[in-house]
Amino acid sequence: MNNLIRLVKIATAMFQAWRLHDTDMMDELSLLAESVPKSKESLVQQDKRVEALLRKLLVWIREQPVDSNIITSLAVSKVGEIVILDPTLEKLLNNTFNEKYNEEDSRKLIFEIIKELRDNDVKNKFGYEFKSMVRPFLFDGEEDLTREDWIKINELISAKISDTDNNFDKAVVEKSSSNDPKSIAAVIDLLKIETSAEGIMKTGLAGLNEALYPDLGIRRGLFYMINALTNRGKSFGLAHILASVPLYNKPVLRDKSRIPTVCLMSAEDSLGLIFKRMYELFITAKTGVKPNFFEATTDTVVETIISGFKDNGWDFQFFRVNPSHDNITEIMQRVRNLEIRGHEIIVGAYDYLAMADLTGCQGESRSDRLQDLYRRARNFFSSRGVAFFTPHQLNPDAKKFIRESDDDSEIYFARDIGGKSMTEGSTKLTNEVDVEITFHVAKMSNDQCFFTYYVGKMRGEGAAESARFGIYPLDPNNGLVHDINFDKKTFRKSLSHRSEAMGGGSDFDDMG
């Protein structure tokens, strides 16, 4: 690929980045253009003029104001000026200012162009260095090559073979060495970003964020398991977490050419029920009042859900799956297909993973194969930097902790069983996850209801015991209200001094 074609491709990506108002991406493309070698003096004058015009075109696109009509009005004349000098570029240039791409396709195109150019640079570098080394052998005879020359050629070929092998090394997801300080710096910078206030994703529940110490929120690359009894908060709690991601956080991408994505695979609830929850959660979080889903128009619901993600720059991909036909191989391929389309999954969830078929998992018993499913899922999603959530059922023994007509056993259930590995199907699942959270909707004898949580396992330091448990009131009309932006938080550690004015009853629709 010659330099003129490379510059045209960068201009195509630059225009799409300009349409997306992505200044970071435009800066990255400008640096990529600077890495394209400048014309040699021996190059014909006409090609040098074309190259100069292409570089000016890149700067011109980059400098246009947002929503400017100047590009569309002057693009034709600028393209025509270049085509007159080099007609072979006409076909490529005619596609440079394509305004028909939607946001997803634009990011996919940018990603493909950058990947193509970088792969080409690697190939060209090897070709240039190899030809330079073997030139004396080809034109001057073998005797002109010293022992040191042969060593350098051997090292170059070995490095190329090593790079090729790494492309097929499925185990390597990150690479660094003492010979490459930049790679070490990149790893450190990424860690700083993803554990910073901007990189940690907050839930709408201030108490839960505190319980997730030291992260104080959701961190990329961790596997979160949510425990609960049947119809006592698994899907309900997961919905609040997934809705919190776009509501209170801006995405921090590892690859700025990708689409920041929340991905949900549901083996339990229909997409209709999921969208109903999302609509109600978005409106409640923004207005403080739960809307009537059935009175809202379809267009209103659709617009609310899409804008709920898009306002802070997120995309979502939701799937309803048949768990009888879904296994770890299908799950991984589904994610890879999204990645091919330009998505970077920042937060992923499977509701719930234990329902998936265990084909492809190892172990003598179903318990062993279920543990292997969790292990493989964790390895797959963690290697991609995905914060992955899956709810899981508690086993029947956990129910024994709730005693009839005993409000204390209800309200403190999550705290009492959290961290005790009482997961249905296998008690070893806790070994495979980074964070274990127990949710429980407590139903009191006076019909009052509360949402409770307990963080039983946090890989690493973890929060103090006193911070791991919390109680939220469930409003009779509005359900679980997020308090992350409240001056006075609504969670508490105990109900020993609760106010009688809090009222009773709650809306249990869609608790899951």
Side-chain angles (χ1 to χ4, degrees):
M1 186 188 301
N2 67 41
N3 290 345
L4 298 183
I5 293 177
R6 291 168 72 185
L7 290 171
V8 172
K9 286 182 175 291
I10 294 172
T12 302
M14 181 71 81
F15 177 67
Q16 297 303 326
W18 176 84
R19 289 182 64 228
L20 297 172
H21 315 315
D22 193 332
T23 55
D24 289 338
M25 181 53 61
M26 287 190 281
D27 289 341
E28 185 173 337
L29 289 166
S30 296
L31 292 174
L32 189 60
E34 290 177 10
S35 69
V36 177
K38 299 293 192 297
S39 300
K40 297 180 180 180
E41 291 300 322
S42 58
L43 197 67
V44 295
Q45 192 65 29
Q46 182 170 303
D47 285 353
K48 290 175 68 176
R49 290 177 59 194
V50 171
E51 181 186 327
L53 288 173
L54 287 171
R55 293 187 184 276
K56 288 181 180 179
L57 180 65
L58 285 168
V59 175
W60 177 72
I61 296 173
R62 177 69 180 84
E63 292 179 347
Q64 296 312 304
V66 176
D67 298 328
S68 170
N69 293 320
I70 299 176
I71 285 187
T72 53
S73 60
L74 296 182
V76 175
S77 62
K78 289 187 174 294
V79 168
E81 187 178 5
I82 297 171
V83 170
I84 289 175
L85 294 174
D86 191 342
T88 62
L89 298 177
E90 181 176 8
K91 187 175 180 180
L92 281 173
L93 283 167
N94 284 340
N95 194 46
T96 294
F97 296 94
N98 191 332
E99 296 185 281
K100 296 181 180 179
Y101 291 110
N102 58 35
E103 180 177 346
E104 180 177 321
D105 290 338
S106 290
R107 291 192 182 278
K108 181 180 178 181
L109 178 63
I110 294 170
F111 171 72
E112 288 175 346
I113 289 174
I114 291 176
K115 185 177 184 302
E116 180 186 8
L117 294 176
R118 286 177 176 166
D119 288 346
N120 184 75
D121 287 343
V122 172
K123 293 176 182 177
N124 285 347
K125 181 180 179 182
F126 171 79
Y128 174 78
E129 291 180 356
F130 184 75
K131 288 177 183 177
S132 299
M133 288 182 177
V134 301
R135 185 178 298 276
F137 171 77
L138 293 175
F139 296 100
D140 301 325
E142 185 177 349
E143 63 275 12
D144 294 317
L145 286 176
T146 66
R147 181 173 181 274
E148 287 72 22
D149 292 330
W150 282 111
I151 291 174
K152 289 179 181 179
I153 292 175
N154 180 64
E155 289 176 345
L156 180 66
I157 295 173
S158 296
K160 180 63 176 177
I161 293 173
S162 177
D163 287 342
T164 303
D165 287 343
N166 280 338
N167 291 334
F168 298 95
D169 190 345
K170 296 180 181 179
V172 175
V173 294
E174 286 185 297
K175 184 174 64 173
S176 186
S177 72
S178 57
N179 296 325
D180 187 5
K182 289 184 178 180
S183 68
I184 301 173
V187 171
I188 293 172
D189 288 342
L190 180 63
L191 177 64
K192 287 183 176 180
I193 291 170
E194 292 187 357
T195 56
S196 67
E198 292 74 24
I200 295 294
M201 293 164 281
K202 300 293 185 182
T203 74
L205 306 175
L208 181 58
N209 293 333
E210 290 182 13
L212 292 170
Y213 179 88
D215 298 329
L216 301 178
I218 302 165
R219 177 154 61 96
R220 295 192 62 171
L222 297 188
F223 188 120
Y224 297 80
M225 179 171 67
I226 298 171
N227 291 327
L229 294 172
T230 304
N231 296 323
R232 287 297 190 102
K234 290 194 309 297
S235 300
F236 174 75
L238 177 63
H240 276 271
I241 289 174
L242 295 183
S244 294
V245 171
L247 277 172
Y248 310 113
N249 305 276
K250 290 185 179 296
V252 176
L253 285 162
R254 292 186 171 184
D255 185 337
K256 292 180 180 179
S257 67
R258 295 292 193 129
I259 306 165
T261 303
V262 175
C263 176
L264 168 64
M265 294 167 267
S266 176
E268 284 211 312
D269 296 328
S270 67
L271 290 184
L273 181 54
I274 291 168
F275 286 138
K276 176 178 179 292
R277 282 191 186 128
M278 285 291 166
Y279 168 71
E280 291 172 344
L281 288 173
F282 285 157
I283 294 295
T284 304
K286 292 177 180 179
T287 67
V289 178
K290 183 178 179 180
N292 188 320
F293 172 80
F294 298 101
E295 291 182 357
T297 65
T298 300
D299 288 344
T300 298
V301 174
V302 172
E303 183 181 351
T304 299
I305 293 170
I306 292 177
S307 64
F309 281 87
K310 294 290 185 183
D311 285 351
N312 273 333
W314 292 87
D315 186 90
F316 70 87
Q317 297 288 323
F318 291 172
F319 301 89
R320 172 75 185 277
V321 297
N322 182 342
S324 299
H325 301 288
D326 208 23
N327 54 50
I328 188 62
T329 303
E330 295 292 335
I331 294 168
M332 292 190 295
Q333 188 56 49
R334 191 173 299 123
V335 170
R336 292 190 185 104
N337 288 340
L338 289 175
E339 291 173 342
I340 290 172
R341 289 162 50 194
H343 293 271
E344 180 176 308
I345 299 175
I346 296 177
V347 177
Y350 197 111
D351 188 11
Y352 64 97
L353 186 61
M355 293 181 67
D357 184 68
L358 297 179
T359 299
C361 296
Q362 304 298 314
E364 296 181 1
S365 65
R366 189 183 189 283
S367 173
D368 291 340
R369 293 196 297 275
L370 182 60
Q371 184 180 2
D372 189 53
L373 171 65
Y374 266 60
R375 182 185 301 117
R376 296 185 64 183
R378 179 185 181 274
N379 293 341
F380 178 78
F381 286 103
S382 295
S383 68
R384 284 164 161 72
V386 178
F388 184 75
F389 290 82
T390 188
H392 193 84
Q393 191 88 0
L394 288 167
N395 64 35
D397 287 340
K399 294 182 180 179
K400 297 176 182 178
F401 282 75
I402 299 180
R403 297 176 294 277
E404 188 175 352
S405 301
D406 184 348
D407 283 356
D408 280 353
S409 66
E410 272 280 355
I411 202 68
Y412 300 115
F413 172 79
R415 186 187 66 186
D416 291 342
I417 66 97
K420 288 184 169 58
S421 298
M422 303 187 75
T423 46
E424 186 178 44
S426 173
T427 57
K428 300 177 182 178
L429 296 183
T430 309
N431 297 338
E432 308 302 333
V433 305
D434 297 293
V435 185
E436 177 214 24
I437 309 171
T438 299
F439 287 158
H440 181 67
V441 174
K443 304 177 182 180
M444 314 300 282
S445 57
N446 64 353
D447 293 330
Q448 200 171 2
C449 299
F450 297 90
F451 180 80
T452 65
Y453 61 86
Y454 180 81
V455 177
K457 173 186 177 179
M458 184 77 182
R459 196 181 295 273
E461 183 180 352
E465 184 63 30
S466 60
R468 292 172 178 259
F469 175 71
I471 303 168
Y472 273 92
L474 280 173
D475 186 273
N477 299 312
N478 300 325
L480 179 58
V481 179
H482 296 178
D483 64 339
I484 186 174
N485 294 323
F486 289 5
D487 292 333
K488 185 178 181 180
K489 307 309 178 187
T490 59
F491 70 95
R492 58 184 64 200
K493 301 301 181 183
S494 108
L495 292 187
S496 57
H497 302 290
R498 69 181 185 272
S499 169
E500 295 298 330
M502 292 182 69
S506 183
D507 183 358
F508 279 100
D509 289 347
D510 311 330
M511 277 298 176

